[in-house]
Amino acid sequence: MDVAFLLDKYYKGKESVSIDVFDAQTLNVVYKDIVSAMTAHLEIEVSVLQALTYCLYEMMDNVHIHSGKPLGTAMTYYDCAQKTLNILIADDGMGIRASLSENEIYKDITEEEALRICLEDRITDGKGMGFGLYTTSRLVNSIGKSFILHSGNHKLIIEGGKSSVVENGYWQGTLIYMEIGTETEIDPGQIVDHRTDVESEYNEYFLETGELDSLW
């Protein structure tokens, strides 16, 4: 994977961008390291982290479930001045259209259609629940500043509450990039449609007891 290209395209001029390569065996360790680094920024709203960490794991987990390739790359950067988290998850696998077409329902889907529907609930190639990108889209709709989903020759772009799919460049596999605001308190349960207790999960795994007590 061309990491230099990704840095130039999505993180140009930014220093200390965190870059991690992961596979199925190292996913959990890398994930926890990324979240721990985010948690160290005390100015980030805890409710944002509670929702984001769920979405982050789902995006990373999608790599080895759906891409057909063993490795994924995660890039993260916290912009102190803008109070935004910039997150990129990429693989060089089969891509969204090819993955969805493994499900008989979507066997004839076009690349543009695949990008449009994959953010909807329960859209899956049959190997997962179709919930990860759905929750990520709900997070973006709540506090996202920009979102790009690039697969093959098409990009789905969400900015200013508007969504579009354009034919622009080529990415072998799937690339997700998003910038989210970190100052606004949100309802993490609403982001995941109240289907799982993301608040308790985050608090249990990433907050020390003393930190948790200080929240109340």
Side-chain angles (χ1 to χ4, degrees):
M1 188 174 297
D2 192 344
V3 172
F5 167 79
L6 294 177
L7 285 171
D8 184 66
K9 178 72 174 177
Y10 294 99
Y11 296 94
K12 195 175 186 66
K14 301 187 188 307
E15 298 180 358
S16 302
V17 177
S18 219
I19 305 171
D20 296 280
V21 176
F22 60 91
D23 58 18
Q25 286 69 46
T26 60
L27 188 154
N28 286 330
V29 172
V30 171
Y31 165 73
K32 288 179 179 178
D33 286 346
I34 292 173
V35 175
S36 294
M38 292 178 182
T39 303
H41 294 286
L42 300 179
E43 62 272 38
I44 299 176
E45 273 287 338
V46 172
S47 60
V48 170
L49 289 172
Q50 289 168 335
L52 173 62
T53 51
Y54 180 89
C55 297
L56 175 64
Y57 185 86
E58 290 293 312
M59 288 188 288
M60 295 174 68
D61 197 39
N62 278 348
V63 171
H64 83 266
I65 292 178
H66 304 291
S67 74
K69 288 291 186 74
L71 298 179
T73 298
M75 296 184 176
T76 53
Y77 175 78
Y78 178 62
D79 190 320
C80 298
Q82 299 298 320
K83 300 295 190 294
T84 59
L85 272 170
N86 300 16
I87 298 170
L88 184 147
I89 306 294
D91 66 67
D92 58 356
M94 69 175 67
I96 291 175
R97 190 210 65 80
S99 177
L100 278 182
S101 68
E102 293 184 344
N103 185 330
E104 184 68 19
I105 298 173
Y106 310 114
K107 66 176 182 178
D108 298 319
I109 198 168
T110 67
E111 193 170 79
E112 181 177 352
E113 290 170 335
L115 264 64
R116 288 190 184 278
I117 70 168
C118 71
L119 299 183
E120 298 175 9
D121 193 10
R122 296 185 172 90
I123 302 298
T124 176
D125 58 7
K127 300 173 188 172
M129 298 185 298
F131 193 53
L133 285 178
Y134 171 65
T135 55
T136 300
S137 70
R138 289 170 70 88
L139 180 67
V140 169
N141 289 334
S142 176
I143 54 173
K145 296 182 179 294
S146 66
F147 176 84
I148 295 172
L149 177 60
H150 193 179
S151 185
N153 291 303
H154 289 81
K155 286 180 180 177
L156 182 146
I157 301 170
I158 301 176
E159 282 186 330
K162 296 181 179 180
S163 173
S164 61
V165 176
V166 298
E167 191 168 355
N168 180 262
Y170 179 76
W171 182 261
Q172 173 64 47
T174 301
L175 182 154
I176 301 170
Y177 173 79
M178 63 181 181
E179 298 179 20
I180 63 167
T182 61
E183 294 182 291
T184 304
E185 185 176 356
I186 61 175
D187 177 0
Q190 187 273 334
I191 300 300
V192 297
D193 215 9
H194 299 285
R195 297 189 204 174
T196 185
D197 189 352
V198 290
E199 297 178 54
S200 295
E201 290 172 6
Y202 174 83
N203 294 345
E204 179 180 354
Y205 289 109
F206 297 109
L207 289 184
E208 299 293 337
T209 303
E211 292 177 299
L212 185 58
D213 290 342
S214 70
L215 295 176
W216 309 105

